[in-house]
Amino acid sequence: GDEFRTLSTSDGKAMPMAYQSDPALMSSKHVERAYANTKLAQIWHSRSMSIRGGVPSVCACPTWAGTGIAGEEKREFMERFAFPVAGAGIASALNAMFRSDEELGD
């Protein structure tokens, strides 16, 4: 399968195809897993900051945002069921998660 293909670097070393930055040149498995991998990287980065840097860190995904990440064929669905990226966007969800009742006037 294409997940084992490699690229040659300028110094003659082989590099896994997954490191290719152009999605058209990436293996199909890499493209399928790219979004999930970025989310996992965010979680690991937050954890690393907490453990190694001694910095309190929270990694949260409050909700869906209506972007084109799902492709043009699913854009209408995302715009209908996800928070808009223009205007207040996910502010209401973030306010609900991080602000006190007193701050929100509830």
Side-chain angles (χ1 to χ4, degrees):
D2 62 357
E3 64 271 12
F4 298 108
R5 290 178 28 202
T6 59
L7 300 169
S8 294
T9 61
S10 60
D11 59 2
K13 295 181 180 175
M15 175 173 67
M17 189 70 151
Y19 290 107
Q20 182 60 251
S21 61
D22 181 353
L25 300 175
M26 291 178 190
S27 73
S28 60
K29 292 222 181 273
H30 179 78
V31 173
E32 292 169 10
R33 296 177 183 160
Y35 182 77
N37 287 344
T38 63
K39 292 299 174 191
L40 182 58
Q42 290 172 9
I43 292 167
W44 282 349
H45 180 249
S46 177
R47 183 173 181 264
S48 177
M49 288 174 45
S50 180
I51 292 171
R52 295 185 184 142
V55 178
S57 180
V58 174
C59 189
C61 179
T63 188
W64 287 355
T67 66
I69 195 166
E72 288 302 315
E73 65 278 358
K74 294 182 180 77
R75 184 179 291 274
E76 183 181 342
F77 173 84
M78 292 299 288
E79 287 175 350
R80 180 175 291 164
F81 293 103
F83 280 94
V85 292
I90 64 169
S92 60
L94 293 173
N95 284 331
M97 289 172 17
F98 296 114
R99 297 184 76 189
S100 68
D101 289 347
E102 293 80 27
E103 289 177 301
L104 295 172
D106 290 347

